[in-house]
Amino acid sequence: LGIAEGKYPAGVIAGGLSDGTIELWNPIKVAGSETQAAHIGQCRTGPTPVTGLAFHPSQSKRNVLASGSSDGEVLIWDLKNVKAPTLSKPHKAQKSPHLAAITSIAWNNVPVRFRAGRNSDLGPS
């Protein structure tokens, strides 16, 4: 079971690591100092560091996580099953010497889409 089935009523904590891994934890177990039981899953993005994460803001889609990486790639994860997350690639970064790392990700609520940003992005949204 995963987030969508209500197995984690307090949600899930996601942390992006420098090896390209997203680790998933149960916050109730973390707060209770049950460190071994707290780790509930993992997503592997690739060899580059994960530099941005954002859960979907809608309660009905709280199992959807967007991740960004230092190579400019954005990935969408479905965590309905945190033991076996599914992956979508809505945007494949083109390799370019001018491509910057994703430094932040935010979902746009109307319509629900995501936006990823780089430190070099300038101007209004």
Side-chain angles (χ1 to χ4, degrees):
L1 292 178
I3 297 171
E5 287 79 23
K7 183 173 180 179
Y8 304 102
V12 169
I13 297 172
L17 305 179
S18 61
D19 68 354
T21 302
I22 300 169
E23 298 289 348
L24 304 169
W25 292 278
N26 180 338
I28 293 173
K29 302 273 185 182
V30 170
S33 300
E34 299 177 48
T35 54
Q36 291 294 340
H39 187 263
I40 55 174
Q42 183 181 76
C43 306
R44 182 83 180 135
T45 65
T48 58
V50 177
T51 53
L53 292 171
F55 277 100
H56 196 287
S58 170
Q59 191 70 355
S60 66
K61 296 206 182 253
R62 64 185 182 160
N63 57 293
V64 177
L65 175 70
S67 70
S69 62
S70 64
D71 66 357
E73 186 170 51
V74 174
L75 302 174
I76 305 297
W77 299 90
D78 184 344
L79 304 177
K80 283 182 184 172
N81 180 350
V82 295
K83 300 290 185 198
T86 55
L87 169 65
S88 298
K89 293 186 176 185
H91 161 61
K92 178 67 178 155
Q94 295 179 5
K95 301 301 177 192
S96 164
H98 305 291
L99 192 60
I102 300 296
T103 56
S104 63
I105 293 182
W107 291 88
N108 178 1
N109 291 328
V110 183
V112 177
R113 295 190 178 126
F114 67 90
R115 179 176 174 115
R118 300 175 174 94
N119 281 337
S120 60
D121 289 348
L122 299 174
S125 300

